[in-house]
């Protein structure tokens, strides 16, 4: 409560963030509009103009030798502006082919669609398990994304782990 104020309903808001330069956001809240203004100052202060997060739906998947395995990946635009992301893939240490495909697996792609702030977009990392691998083998491919509109955001990566399935162990109780 501010004793020098004419109104007894005045509330003070002080938010301290312990960064190197001791940034603060301060204000007086007289009504709901003032409260919203301070709320948006905090959001704008924390939220970058451009930003994104990569999310892998399932950490690892299993497939049959010689087949394709699709890993679902989602890009979340956490920035204040719409953005498009360039997409890259790299093979794992055992060189299983890893590619970036649209979510319907109809075409190989090199970038996302335009994603609005707060929006998401899904695509697949498609891994082909070679025929020359053994049951139980695995490989780790990497998918990378970078903003097309901002030069200041570092490239972000996510690993996709693909394993070959194991055959069912043979069992015979030798009874007739």
């Amino acid at each position: 409560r501010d004793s020098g104020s004419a109104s007894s309903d005045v509330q003070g808001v002080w938010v301290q963030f312990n960064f190197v330069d001791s940034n603060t956001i301060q204000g007086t809240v007289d009504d709901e509009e003032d409260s919203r203004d301070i709320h948006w100052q905090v959001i704008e202060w924390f939220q970058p103009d451009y930003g994104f997060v990569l999310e892998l739906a399932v950490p690892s998947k299993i497939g049959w030798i010689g087949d394709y395995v699709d890993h679902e990946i989602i890009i979340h635009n956490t920035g204040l502006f719409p953005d498009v992301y360039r997409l890259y893939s790299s093979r794992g240490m055992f060189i299983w082919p890893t590619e970036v495909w649209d979510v319907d697996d109809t075409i190989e792609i090199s970038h996302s669609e335009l994603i609005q702030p707060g929006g998401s977009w899904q695509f697949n990392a498609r891994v082909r398990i070679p025929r020359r691998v053994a049951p139980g083998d695995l490989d780790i491919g990497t998918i990378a994304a970078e903003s097309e509109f901002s030069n200041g955001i570092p490239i972000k990566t996510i690993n996709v782990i693909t394993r070959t399935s194991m055959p069912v162990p043979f069992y015979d109780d030798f009874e007739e």
Side-chain angles (χ1 to χ4, degrees), residues 53-64:
V53 174
L54 290 176
E55 176 188 356
L56 187 59
V58 179
S60 68
K61 286 197 162 184
I62 298 173
W64 293 104

Side-chain angles (χ1 to χ4, degrees), residues 12-74:
V13 175
W14 182 76
V15 182
Q16 173 73 44
F17 300 100
N18 294 321
F19 293 108
V20 174
D21 58 354
S22 298
N23 291 315
T24 61
I25 296 175
Q26 292 181 318
T28 302
V29 180
D30 291 325
D31 55 26
E32 189 175 324
E33 185 176 337
D34 287 343
S35 175
R36 278 193 304 269
D37 288 345
I38 290 175
H39 175 79
W40 281 109
Q41 285 179 30
V42 171
I43 288 175
E44 289 174 2
W45 190 61
F46 275 122
Q47 189 173 16
D49 291 344
Y50 293 97
F52 68 99
V53 174
L54 290 176
E55 176 188 356
L56 187 59
V58 179
S60 68
K61 286 197 162 184
I62 298 173
W64 293 104
I65 294 172
D67 279 350
Y68 289 93
V69 175
D70 292 328
H71 298 268
E72 298 84 16
I73 299 173
I74 303 169

Side-chain angles (χ1 to χ4, degrees), residues 66-165:
D67 279 350
Y68 289 93
V69 175
D70 292 328
H71 298 268
E72 298 84 16
I73 299 173
I74 303 169
I75 297 178
H76 301 281
N77 182 349
T78 59
L80 293 172
F81 298 104
D83 205 348
V84 172
Y85 304 94
R86 286 186 286 279
L87 304 170
Y88 309 96
S89 65
S90 64
R91 297 172 178 218
M93 62 184 167
F94 296 112
I95 313 178
W96 296 6
T98 303
E99 301 168 336
V100 180
W101 284 70
D102 69 340
V103 72
D104 298 321
D105 287 330
T106 57
I107 188 169
E108 192 172 359
I109 57 174
S110 61
H111 62 278
S112 72
E113 295 176 355
L114 182 70
I115 305 173
Q116 296 299 321
S120 299
W121 187 76
Q122 185 175 335
F123 65 97
N124 288 334
R126 178 172 254 205
V127 179
R128 185 176 59 80
I129 301 174
R131 295 196 181 279
R132 66 186 182 335
V133 299
D137 280 354
L138 71 91
D139 201 15
I140 302 171
T142 302
I143 301 299
E146 71 176 322
S147 169
E148 292 234 355
F149 298 154
S150 172
N151 293 329
I153 300 177
I155 292 176
K156 295 186 181 180
T157 61
I158 196 162
N159 290 328
V160 293
I161 302 169
T162 308
R163 301 174 191 273
T164 60
S165 57

